[in-house]
Amino acid sequence: NDAEQKQFKDSAVNKWLDDLKDAVYVADDILDHISTKAAISKNKKVSTNYISRFFNSEEREMVCKLEDIVARLEYILKFKDILGLQHISIDHSSWRTPSTSLDDGSNIFGRDQDKEAILKLLLDDGNDDDAKISVIPIVGMGGVGKTTLAQSVYNHDSVKQKFDVQAWACVSDHFDEFKVTKAIMEAVTRSACNINNKELLHLDLKEKLTGKKFLIVLDDVWTDDYD
């Protein structure tokens, strides 16, 4: 949590966090490999020479990989104190600035395929159905550029021409259906919404969207409750 906050202003912390993530990915791959091997071995009949086969070259190589990644993780964690990182419990929404649909105009590198894939899904007329609501999830760790990618797609000229209505709402980790709906309504009407009744708000929003092609972005979603 501390590193997530400081990475944007401290390049050393950003580098440390990248190194830690890379190491965890490697460790995860190794554990997946071991789990797969264990599942296969469990389904095989245990023979008398099982002990000798266990220590073949592949197993020895795997042990070396485990030792290497443990040593790498321990080495990385030593820098935690040097960088002044502390163990803190933090509410994500207390330090994250709510996002908007406006991008900063900076270039995006390495996301061309992702951008084109999302644009294709949004602009494809082959599956047009007035009654269909499609959901396109963009998922990943904090800081990988999910919001920036969404902004670049949202502001693309082809998308603006395709949809009659566009709205952007920042959800954050405390999901509040009423607040999110109100934010969508204000984005659609581009004016303040004074409705304080959930039922009336939903009915009004439905009226504004009925018969129109609309694109709604829900950014910074943390909850696993997809409904």
Side-chain angles (χ1 to χ4, degrees):
N1 285 329
D2 197 20
E4 286 282 4
Q5 290 185 61
K6 294 177 178 177
Q7 65 169 320
F8 303 107
K9 296 181 179 180
D10 191 327
S11 59
V13 173
N14 181 265
K15 174 68 166 56
W16 179 86
L17 202 56
D18 285 341
D19 290 343
L20 180 59
K21 288 177 181 177
D22 288 341
V24 171
Y25 284 141
V26 172
D28 198 41
D29 287 342
I30 294 174
L31 292 176
D32 281 343
H33 182 77
I34 291 174
S35 296
T36 302
K37 293 285 290 183
I40 294 173
S41 299
K42 187 177 181 180
N43 292 328
K44 288 182 178 179
K45 184 178 179 180
V46 178
S47 61
T48 54
N49 65 343
Y50 174 79
I51 300 299
S52 61
R53 287 191 296 107
F54 180 81
F55 291 103
N56 62 28
S57 60
E58 185 178 359
E59 271 76 27
R60 285 196 295 271
E61 182 182 354
M62 189 56 60
V63 170
C64 290
K65 286 183 178 180
L66 278 170
E67 291 174 342
D68 288 344
I69 195 61
V70 169
R72 182 179 169 191
L73 284 166
E74 289 177 342
Y75 175 77
I76 293 172
L77 290 175
K78 286 181 180 178
F79 287 90
K80 174 176 67 70
D81 296 329
I82 297 175
L83 294 171
L85 297 175
Q86 300 177 354
H87 181 78
I88 59 173
S89 177
I90 189 169
D91 177 6
H92 298 110
S93 61
S94 66
W95 62 271
R96 287 179 62 86
T97 302
S99 66
T100 70
S101 64
L102 300 177
D103 57 40
D104 58 9
S106 61
N107 293 321
I108 302 175
F109 299 98
R111 293 294 184 189
D112 291 341
Q113 289 186 337
D114 294 331
K115 182 177 179 179
E116 290 303 318
I118 296 174
L119 284 172
K120 187 176 186 301
L121 290 170
L122 288 173
L123 303 175
D124 186 11
D125 290 321
N127 298 318
D128 262 6
D129 184 347
D130 290 339
K132 188 179 83 170
I133 300 294
S134 298
V135 178
I136 302 174
I138 303 177
V139 298
M141 283 183 165
V144 298
K146 300 183 295 297
T147 297
T148 303
L149 177 61
Q151 287 170 335
S152 68
V153 171
Y154 187 89
N155 291 294
H156 197 276
D157 289 337
S158 298
V159 171
K160 291 181 178 180
Q161 293 173 10
K162 167 84 173 183
F163 295 97
D164 303 315
V165 177
Q166 289 180 242
W168 182 288
C170 189
V171 177
S172 194
D173 55 337
H174 293 304
F175 185 84
D176 187 316
E177 184 184 344
F178 183 78
K179 288 183 178 179
V180 172
T181 307
K182 201 166 186 176
I184 294 172
M185 173 65 84
E186 292 179 339
V188 169
T189 61
R190 296 197 176 187
S191 61
C193 176
N194 297 316
I195 301 175
N196 293 314
N197 180 283
K198 181 178 175 181
E199 174 70 9
L200 293 178
L201 182 62
H202 280 191
L203 289 173
D204 202 11
L205 181 59
K206 179 182 178 181
E207 183 182 329
K208 294 288 192 301
L209 298 179
T210 297
K212 298 178 181 178
K213 290 183 183 295
F214 58 85
L215 170 64
I216 297 174
V217 174
L218 301 179
D219 189 43
D220 200 26
V221 176
W222 290 82
T223 179
D224 290 329
D225 184 354
Y226 299 117
D227 291 337

Coordinates of all heavy atoms in Angstrom, one line a residue, residues 27-57:
A27 N 7.6 -16.6 -9.3 CA 7.2 -17.5 -8.3 C 5.9 -18.2 -8.5 O 5.7 -19.4 -8.3 CB 7.2 -16.8 -6.9
D28 N 4.9 -17.4 -9.0 CA 3.6 -17.9 -9.3 C 3.7 -19.0 -10.4 O 3.0 -20.0 -10.4 CB 2.7 -16.8 -9.8 CG 1.2 -17.2 -9.7 OD1 0.8 -17.9 -8.7 OD2 0.5 -16.8 -10.6
D29 N 4.5 -18.7 -11.5 CA 4.7 -19.7 -12.6 C 5.3 -21.0 -12.1 O 4.9 -22.1 -12.5 CB 5.6 -19.1 -13.7 CG 4.9 -18.0 -14.5 OD1 3.6 -18.0 -14.4 OD2 5.5 -17.2 -15.1
I30 N 6.3 -20.9 -11.2 CA 6.9 -22.1 -10.6 C 5.9 -22.9 -9.8 O 5.9 -24.1 -10.0 CB 8.1 -21.7 -9.8 CG1 9.2 -21.0 -10.6 CG2 8.7 -22.9 -9.0 CD1 10.4 -20.5 -9.8
L31 N 5.1 -22.2 -9.0 CA 4.2 -22.9 -8.2 C 3.1 -23.6 -9.1 O 2.6 -24.7 -8.8 CB 3.5 -22.0 -7.2 CG 4.4 -21.5 -6.1 CD1 3.7 -20.5 -5.2 CD2 5.0 -22.6 -5.2
D32 N 2.7 -22.9 -10.1 CA 1.7 -23.5 -11.1 C 2.3 -24.8 -11.7 O 1.6 -25.8 -11.8 CB 1.4 -22.6 -12.2 CG 0.3 -21.5 -11.7 OD1 -0.3 -21.7 -10.7 OD2 0.2 -20.5 -12.4
H33 N 3.6 -24.7 -12.1 CA 4.3 -25.9 -12.7 C 4.3 -27.1 -11.7 O 4.0 -28.2 -12.0 CB 5.7 -25.5 -13.1 CG 6.4 -26.6 -13.8 ND1 6.2 -27.0 -15.1 CD2 7.4 -27.4 -13.3 CE1 7.0 -28.0 -15.4 NE2 7.7 -28.3 -14.4
I34 N 4.7 -26.8 -10.4 CA 4.7 -27.8 -9.4 C 3.4 -28.4 -9.2 O 3.2 -29.6 -9.0 CB 5.3 -27.2 -8.1 CG1 6.8 -26.8 -8.3 CG2 5.2 -28.2 -6.9 CD1 7.4 -26.1 -7.1
S35 N 2.3 -27.6 -9.1 CA 1.0 -28.1 -8.9 C 0.6 -29.0 -10.0 O -0.1 -30.1 -9.8 CB 0.0 -26.9 -8.8 OG 0.3 -26.1 -7.7
T36 N 0.9 -28.7 -11.2 CA 0.6 -29.5 -12.4 C 1.3 -30.9 -12.3 O 0.7 -31.9 -12.5 CB 0.9 -28.8 -13.7 OG1 0.3 -27.6 -13.8 CG2 0.5 -29.7 -14.9
K37 N 2.6 -30.8 -12.0 CA 3.4 -32.0 -11.9 C 2.8 -32.9 -10.7 O 2.7 -34.1 -10.9 CB 4.8 -31.7 -11.6 CG 5.5 -31.0 -12.8 CD 5.9 -32.0 -13.9 CE 7.0 -33.0 -13.4 NZ 7.4 -33.9 -14.5
A38 N 2.4 -32.3 -9.6 CA 1.9 -33.0 -8.5 C 0.6 -33.7 -8.9 O 0.4 -34.9 -8.5 CB 1.7 -32.1 -7.3
A39 N -0.3 -33.0 -9.6 CA -1.5 -33.6 -10.0 C -1.3 -34.8 -11.0 O -2.0 -35.8 -10.9 CB -2.4 -32.6 -10.7
I40 N -0.3 -34.7 -11.8 CA 0.0 -35.8 -12.8 C 0.5 -37.0 -12.0 O 0.1 -38.1 -12.2 CB 1.0 -35.3 -13.8 CG1 0.3 -34.3 -14.7 CG2 1.5 -36.5 -14.7 CD1 1.3 -33.6 -15.7
S41 N 1.5 -36.7 -11.1 CA 2.1 -37.8 -10.3 C 1.1 -38.5 -9.5 O 1.1 -39.7 -9.3 CB 3.2 -37.2 -9.4 OG 4.2 -36.6 -10.2
K42 N 0.1 -37.8 -8.9 CA -0.9 -38.4 -8.1 C -1.8 -39.4 -8.8 O -2.3 -40.4 -8.2 CB -1.8 -37.3 -7.5 CG -2.8 -37.7 -6.4 CD -3.6 -36.6 -5.9 CE -4.6 -37.0 -4.8 NZ -5.3 -35.9 -4.2
N43 N -2.0 -39.1 -10.1 CA -2.8 -40.0 -10.9 C -2.0 -41.2 -11.4 O -2.6 -42.1 -12.0 CB -3.4 -39.2 -12.1 CG -4.4 -38.2 -11.7 OD1 -5.1 -38.4 -10.7 ND2 -4.5 -37.1 -12.4
K44 N -0.7 -41.2 -11.3 CA 0.1 -42.3 -11.7 C 0.3 -43.4 -10.6 O 0.3 -43.0 -9.4 CB 1.5 -41.8 -12.2 CG 1.5 -41.1 -13.5 CD 2.9 -40.7 -13.9 CE 2.9 -40.0 -15.3 NZ 4.2 -39.6 -15.7
K45 N 0.4 -44.6 -11.0 CA 0.6 -45.6 -10.0 C 2.0 -45.5 -9.4 O 3.0 -45.3 -10.1 CB 0.5 -47.0 -10.7 CG 0.6 -48.2 -9.7 CD 0.4 -49.5 -10.4 CE 0.5 -50.6 -9.4 NZ 0.4 -51.9 -10.1
V46 N 2.1 -45.5 -8.1 CA 3.4 -45.3 -7.4 C 4.2 -46.6 -7.5 O 3.7 -47.7 -7.1 CB 3.2 -45.0 -5.9 CG1 4.5 -44.9 -5.2 CG2 2.4 -43.8 -5.7
S47 N 5.4 -46.5 -8.1 CA 6.3 -47.7 -8.3 C 7.4 -47.7 -7.2 O 7.6 -46.7 -6.5 CB 6.9 -47.6 -9.7 OG 7.6 -46.4 -9.9
T48 N 8.1 -48.8 -7.2 CA 9.2 -48.9 -6.2 C 10.3 -48.0 -6.4 O 11.1 -47.7 -5.5 CB 9.7 -50.4 -6.3 OG1 10.1 -50.7 -7.6 CG2 8.7 -51.4 -5.8
N49 N 10.5 -47.5 -7.7 CA 11.6 -46.6 -7.9 C 11.2 -45.2 -7.9 O 11.8 -44.3 -8.5 CB 12.3 -46.9 -9.2 CG 11.4 -46.7 -10.4 OD1 10.2 -46.6 -10.3 ND2 12.0 -46.6 -11.6
Y50 N 10.1 -44.9 -7.2 CA 9.5 -43.5 -7.2 C 10.5 -42.5 -6.6 O 10.7 -41.4 -7.1 CB 8.2 -43.5 -6.4 CG 7.7 -42.1 -6.2 CD1 7.0 -41.4 -7.2 CD2 7.9 -41.4 -5.0 CE1 6.5 -40.1 -7.0 CE2 7.4 -40.1 -4.8 CZ 6.7 -39.5 -5.8 OH 6.3 -38.2 -5.6
I51 N 11.2 -42.9 -5.5 CA 12.1 -42.1 -4.8 C 13.3 -41.7 -5.7 O 13.6 -40.5 -5.8 CB 12.7 -42.7 -3.5 CG1 11.5 -43.0 -2.5 CG2 13.7 -41.8 -2.8 CD1 10.8 -41.8 -2.1
S52 N 13.8 -42.6 -6.4 CA 14.9 -42.3 -7.3 C 14.5 -41.4 -8.4 O 15.3 -40.6 -8.9 CB 15.6 -43.6 -7.8 OG 14.6 -44.3 -8.6
R53 N 13.3 -41.6 -8.9 CA 12.8 -40.8 -10.1 C 12.5 -39.4 -9.6 O 12.6 -38.5 -10.4 CB 11.6 -41.5 -10.7 CG 11.8 -42.7 -11.5 CD 10.6 -43.2 -12.3 NE 9.5 -43.5 -11.4 CZ 8.4 -42.8 -11.3 NH1 8.3 -41.6 -11.9 NH2 7.4 -43.2 -10.5
F54 N 12.2 -39.2 -8.4 CA 11.8 -37.9 -7.9 C 13.0 -36.9 -8.0 O 12.8 -35.7 -8.3 CB 11.4 -38.0 -6.4 CG 11.0 -36.6 -5.9 CD1 9.7 -36.1 -6.1 CD2 11.9 -35.9 -5.1 CE1 9.4 -34.9 -5.6 CE2 11.6 -34.7 -4.6 CZ 10.3 -34.2 -4.8
F55 N 14.2 -37.4 -7.8 CA 15.4 -36.6 -7.9 C 16.0 -36.6 -9.2 O 17.3 -36.7 -9.3 CB 16.4 -37.0 -6.8 CG 15.9 -36.7 -5.4 CD1 15.4 -37.7 -4.6 CD2 15.9 -35.4 -4.9 CE1 14.9 -37.4 -3.3 CE2 15.4 -35.1 -3.7 CZ 14.9 -36.1 -2.8
N56 N 15.3 -36.6 -10.3 CA 15.9 -36.6 -11.6 C 16.2 -35.1 -11.9 O 16.1 -34.2 -11.1 CB 14.9 -37.1 -12.7 CG 13.6 -36.4 -12.8 OD1 13.6 -35.2 -12.5 ND2 12.5 -37.0 -13.2
S57 N 16.8 -34.9 -13.1 CA 17.3 -33.6 -13.5 C 16.2 -32.5 -13.4 O 16.5 -31.4 -13.0 CB 17.9 -33.7 -14.9 OG 17.0 -34.1 -15.8

